[in-house]
mmCIF file of all heavy atoms in Angstrom:
data_model
loop_
_atom_site.group_PDB
_atom_site.id
_atom_site.type_symbol
_atom_site.label_atom_id
_atom_site.label_comp_id
_atom_site.label_asym_id
_atom_site.label_seq_id
_atom_site.Cartn_x
_atom_site.Cartn_y
_atom_site.Cartn_z
ATOM 1 N N GLY Z 79 80.351 110.954 92.210
ATOM 2 C CA GLY Z 79 80.222 111.163 90.770
ATOM 3 C C GLY Z 79 79.660 112.537 90.454
ATOM 4 O O GLY Z 79 80.130 113.227 89.544
ATOM 5 N N LYS Z 80 78.669 112.958 91.218
ATOM 6 C CA LYS Z 80 78.032 114.250 90.934
ATOM 7 C C LYS Z 80 78.963 115.420 91.236
ATOM 8 O O LYS Z 80 78.969 116.407 90.517
ATOM 9 C CB LYS Z 80 76.731 114.359 91.712
ATOM 10 C CG LYS Z 80 75.655 113.468 91.088
ATOM 11 C CD LYS Z 80 74.327 113.523 91.771
ATOM 12 C CE LYS Z 80 73.309 112.775 90.896
ATOM 13 N NZ LYS Z 80 72.023 112.592 91.569
ATOM 14 N N TRP Z 81 79.748 115.325 92.307
ATOM 15 C CA TRP Z 81 80.689 116.407 92.606
ATOM 16 C C TRP Z 81 81.757 116.516 91.525
ATOM 17 O O TRP Z 81 82.330 117.584 91.316
ATOM 18 C CB TRP Z 81 81.338 116.193 93.972
ATOM 19 C CG TRP Z 81 80.414 116.510 95.107
ATOM 20 C CD1 TRP Z 81 79.130 116.970 95.011
ATOM 21 C CD2 TRP Z 81 80.682 116.402 96.504
ATOM 22 N NE1 TRP Z 81 78.602 117.141 96.263
ATOM 23 C CE2 TRP Z 81 79.515 116.794 97.197
ATOM 24 C CE3 TRP Z 81 81.798 115.992 97.246
ATOM 25 C CZ2 TRP Z 81 79.443 116.808 98.592
ATOM 26 C CZ3 TRP Z 81 81.712 116.000 98.627
ATOM 27 C CH2 TRP Z 81 80.557 116.406 99.292
ATOM 28 N N LEU Z 82 82.029 115.414 90.833
ATOM 29 C CA LEU Z 82 82.999 115.455 89.728
ATOM 30 C C LEU Z 82 82.302 115.763 88.397
ATOM 31 O O LEU Z 82 82.912 115.666 87.337
ATOM 32 C CB LEU Z 82 83.746 114.127 89.630
ATOM 33 C CG LEU Z 82 84.700 113.797 90.793
ATOM 34 C CD1 LEU Z 82 85.217 112.372 90.681
ATOM 35 C CD2 LEU Z 82 85.868 114.770 90.826
ATOM 36 N N SER Z 83 81.003 116.102 88.443
ATOM 37 C CA SER Z 83 80.224 116.502 87.261
ATOM 38 C C SER Z 83 79.871 115.363 86.311
ATOM 39 O O SER Z 83 79.493 115.612 85.166
ATOM 40 C CB SER Z 83 80.922 117.608 86.447
ATOM 41 O OG SER Z 83 81.137 118.738 87.230
ATOM 42 N N ALA Z 84 80.000 114.108 86.754
ATOM 43 C CA ALA Z 84 79.552 113.001 85.907
ATOM 44 C C ALA Z 84 78.035 112.864 86.038
ATOM 45 O O ALA Z 84 77.429 113.364 86.991
ATOM 46 C CB ALA Z 84 80.225 111.705 86.343
ATOM 47 N N ASP Z 85 77.412 112.204 85.079
ATOM 48 C CA ASP Z 85 75.999 111.869 85.196
ATOM 49 C C ASP Z 85 75.907 110.500 85.852
ATOM 50 O O ASP Z 85 76.491 109.534 85.369
ATOM 51 C CB ASP Z 85 75.350 111.848 83.820
ATOM 52 C CG ASP Z 85 75.347 113.234 83.201
ATOM 53 O OD1 ASP Z 85 74.788 114.150 83.832
ATOM 54 O OD2 ASP Z 85 75.930 113.415 82.119
ATOM 55 N N VAL Z 86 75.171 110.425 86.967
ATOM 56 C CA VAL Z 86 75.106 109.183 87.739
ATOM 57 C C VAL Z 86 73.690 108.631 87.671
ATOM 58 O O VAL Z 86 72.723 109.342 87.947
ATOM 59 C CB VAL Z 86 75.490 109.419 89.213
ATOM 60 C CG1 VAL Z 86 75.498 108.095 89.968
ATOM 61 C CG2 VAL Z 86 76.845 110.094 89.304
ATOM 62 N N ILE Z 87 73.594 107.384 87.260
ATOM 63 C CA ILE Z 87 72.293 106.721 87.158
ATOM 64 C C ILE Z 87 72.273 105.582 88.169
ATOM 65 O O ILE Z 87 73.221 104.810 88.260
ATOM 66 C CB ILE Z 87 72.058 106.181 85.724
ATOM 67 C CG1 ILE Z 87 71.778 107.330 84.765
ATOM 68 C CG2 ILE Z 87 70.867 105.238 85.683
ATOM 69 C CD1 ILE Z 87 72.969 107.878 84.108
ATOM 70 N N ASN Z 88 71.194 105.499 88.947
ATOM 71 C CA ASN Z 88 71.070 104.424 89.935
ATOM 72 C C ASN Z 88 70.168 103.340 89.400
ATOM 73 O O ASN Z 88 69.066 103.605 88.934
ATOM 74 C CB ASN Z 88 70.479 104.963 91.229
ATOM 75 C CG ASN Z 88 71.486 105.798 91.981
ATOM 76 O OD1 ASN Z 88 72.629 105.400 92.113
ATOM 77 N ND2 ASN Z 88 71.073 106.956 92.422
ATOM 78 N N PHE Z 89 70.668 102.098 89.510
ATOM 79 C CA PHE Z 89 69.852 100.958 89.126
ATOM 80 C C PHE Z 89 69.725 100.092 90.365
ATOM 81 O O PHE Z 89 70.718 99.650 90.920
ATOM 82 C CB PHE Z 89 70.548 100.177 88.015
ATOM 83 C CG PHE Z 89 69.885 98.881 87.675
ATOM 84 C CD1 PHE Z 89 69.007 98.794 86.615
ATOM 85 C CD2 PHE Z 89 70.131 97.739 88.433
ATOM 86 C CE1 PHE Z 89 68.399 97.592 86.310
ATOM 87 C CE2 PHE Z 89 69.519 96.546 88.135
ATOM 88 C CZ PHE Z 89 68.652 96.472 87.068
ATOM 89 N N ALA Z 90 68.525 99.889 90.853
ATOM 90 C CA ALA Z 90 68.319 98.983 91.984
ATOM 91 C C ALA Z 90 67.555 97.785 91.473
ATOM 92 O O ALA Z 90 66.666 97.921 90.629
ATOM 93 C CB ALA Z 90 67.546 99.686 93.089
ATOM 94 N N SER Z 91 67.902 96.595 91.985
ATOM 95 C CA SER Z 91 67.324 95.389 91.385
ATOM 96 C C SER Z 91 65.817 95.300 91.650
ATOM 97 O O SER Z 91 65.081 94.782 90.822
ATOM 98 C CB SER Z 91 68.041 94.142 91.899
ATOM 99 O OG SER Z 91 67.951 94.091 93.299
ATOM 100 N N SER Z 92 65.367 95.827 92.804
ATOM 101 C CA SER Z 92 63.925 95.809 93.011
ATOM 102 C C SER Z 92 63.287 96.886 92.130
ATOM 103 O O SER Z 92 63.851 97.951 91.928
ATOM 104 C CB SER Z 92 63.595 96.052 94.480
ATOM 105 O OG SER Z 92 64.109 97.297 94.870
ATOM 106 N N GLY Z 93 62.126 96.586 91.590
ATOM 107 C CA GLY Z 93 61.450 97.546 90.723
ATOM 108 C C GLY Z 93 62.094 97.646 89.358
ATOM 109 O O GLY Z 93 61.957 98.650 88.664
#
Side-chain angles (χ1 to χ4, degrees):
Chain Z
K80 286 181 170 171
W81 285 359
L82 292 172
S83 301
D85 294 302
V86 184
I87 287 91
N88 287 315
F89 172 97
S91 58
S92 59

